[in-house]
Amino acid sequence: MGIMTVSDRCFRGEREDQSGPQLAALLPQDEYAVFLRVMVPDDEGEIAEHLEAMCDAGCDVVLTTGGTGFSPRDVTPEATVSVLDRNAPGISELLRAEGMRRMPLAALSRGIAGIHGRTLIVNLPGSPGAVREGMETLLPLLPHAVALLRGESAGHA
């Protein structure tokens, strides 16, 4: 498992990263080992480079937090698209739909999900609340998604 925090201010040390550590804490430790955690600025090239490196390092799942909004510096979805082999739109649609049930502004998240090689990449917003809610939605899907990507399970998704 890999976790990437995308934030100019956190990268420069001007703000403490709360969402990345929260992501790690929300993962059941008996099922998921976080072996790569990175913090990058809101730079499309750097985000894409680190995503590819995390996938190449063997992460089954890479979760990003931050950079999914409407700000001109929010480029996480664009960087993610640039490294994807296949899209997984149902995941991002579900995350937005569930988020909007609690907070209508969740509709403004541009986060996406998709597959690079055998790695699932999912963009989550940068706020701790959105990370918590997103993980509540995502966690039940991860075991089957990872098994399918590993070729360990035949099923219908």
Side-chain angles (χ1 to χ4, degrees), residues 78-101:
E78 288 76 14
T80 303
V81 165
S82 76
V83 303
L84 292 182
D85 299 321
R86 298 181 287 159
N87 291 325
I91 294 173
S92 51
E93 291 165 6
L94 178 63
L95 288 169
R96 262 187 293 282
E98 288 297 313
M100 287 186 300
R101 292 174 58 178

Side-chain angles (χ1 to χ4, degrees), residues 22-64:
Q22 183 178 21
L23 267 174
L26 289 169
L27 291 164
Q29 293 188 3
D30 58 332
E31 296 178 45
Y32 303 100
V34 177
F35 68 93
L36 282 176
R37 279 198 49 202
V38 298
M39 184 177 309
V40 298
D42 292 283
D43 176 89
E44 192 172 339
E46 284 197 51
I47 297 166
E49 180 180 316
H50 281 89
L51 285 173
E52 285 186 344
M54 294 171 97
C55 294
D56 292 345
C59 292
D60 290 321
V61 178
V62 174
L63 303 173
T64 71

Side-chain angles (χ1 to χ4, degrees), residues 70 95-109 133:
F70 279 24
L95 288 169
R96 262 187 293 282
E98 288 297 313
M100 287 186 300
R101 292 174 58 178
R102 298 176 181 151
M103 168 66 70
L105 292 177
L108 301 179
S109 174
E133 292 167 4

Side-chain angles (χ1 to χ4, degrees), residues 128-145:
V131 164
R132 184 184 65 256
E133 292 167 4
M135 289 304 290
E136 288 172 7
T137 301
L138 187 59
L139 277 174
L141 306 175
L142 287 183
H144 191 62

